[in-house]
């Protein structure tokens, strides 16, 4: 089966905190992740990342470089090809929306104490966004 194409955004504030959302739906309901979701027909992955951030957090962003692409396999032969981009906030007010149960800024210590989406911890570490000891 062909993986579902998805995109997200990694947003870091001036204090080094990462914007995270608590997933409100499967896969991985209840886990924390960067804002993101399915790419719609006719969208680029970057456009999808910006749209998903707005829907899940109320924030408008400018999308930057792609940080990583990961394929995550889930039970039941479901697979997602996820493209995550760096992003910068250009407007809006932070509030959880769409399929996010919560949205908040998290430090590396915060991230170490919550359940994270599959593989996210490694990608954040490799990208230098959390310490090696994370």
């Amino acid at each position: 089966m062909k993986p579902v194409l998805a995109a997200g955004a990694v947003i870091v504030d001036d204090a080094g905190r990462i914007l995270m959302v608590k997933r409100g739906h499967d896969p991985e309901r209840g886990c924390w992740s960067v804002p993101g979701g399915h790419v719609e027909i006719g969208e680029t992955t970057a456009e999808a990342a910006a749209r998903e951030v707005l829907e899940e957090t109320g924030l408008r962003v400018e999308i930057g470089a792609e940080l990583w692409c990961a394929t995550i396999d889930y039970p039941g032969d479901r697979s997602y090809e996820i493209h995550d981009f760096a992003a910068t906030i250009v407007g809006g007010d932070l509030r959880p929306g769409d399929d996010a149960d919560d949205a908040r800024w998290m430090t590396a210590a915060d991230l170490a104490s919550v359940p994270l989406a599959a593989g996210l911890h490694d990608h954040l570490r490799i990208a230098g966004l959390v310490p090696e000891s994370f």
Side-chain angles (χ1 to χ4, degrees), residues 41-128:
I41 294 172
E43 273 185 322
T44 66
T45 52
E47 290 167 341
R51 176 185 50 76
E52 287 288 343
V53 170
L54 181 61
E55 290 175 0
E56 293 184 352
T57 71
L59 299 172
R60 292 186 315 280
V61 295
E62 180 177 298
I63 298 296
E66 185 170 334
L67 297 174
W68 59 76
C69 175
T71 301
I72 307 293
D73 296 320
Y74 293 101
D77 291 330
R78 292 187 306 162
S79 182
Y80 289 80
E81 178 183 306
I82 305 168
H83 296 261
D84 283 332
F85 296 84
T88 305
I89 297 171
V90 296
D93 295 307
L94 181 59
R95 50 128 188 91
D98 195 28
D99 62 352
D101 284 345
D102 197 359
R104 67 174 79 154
W105 295 101
M106 292 190 173
T107 64
D110 296 330
L111 293 170
S113 68
V114 298
L116 295 180
L120 183 58
H121 141 275
D122 290 333
H123 291 291
L124 293 172
R125 184 180 45 75
I126 291 167

Side-chain angles (χ1 to χ4, degrees), residues 6-66:
V10 179
I11 306 162
V12 180
D13 71 4
D14 292 339
R17 299 176 304 170
I18 300 171
L19 182 60
M20 301 292 289
V21 295
K22 187 175 185 181
R23 297 188 52 79
H25 299 285
D26 283 326
E28 299 191 271
R29 181 180 186 171
C31 289
W32 289 86
S33 186
V34 297
H38 297 93
V39 176
E40 294 180 356
I41 294 172
E43 273 185 322
T44 66
T45 52
E47 290 167 341
R51 176 185 50 76
E52 287 288 343
V53 170
L54 181 61
E55 290 175 0
E56 293 184 352
T57 71
L59 299 172
R60 292 186 315 280
V61 295
E62 180 177 298
I63 298 296
E66 185 170 334

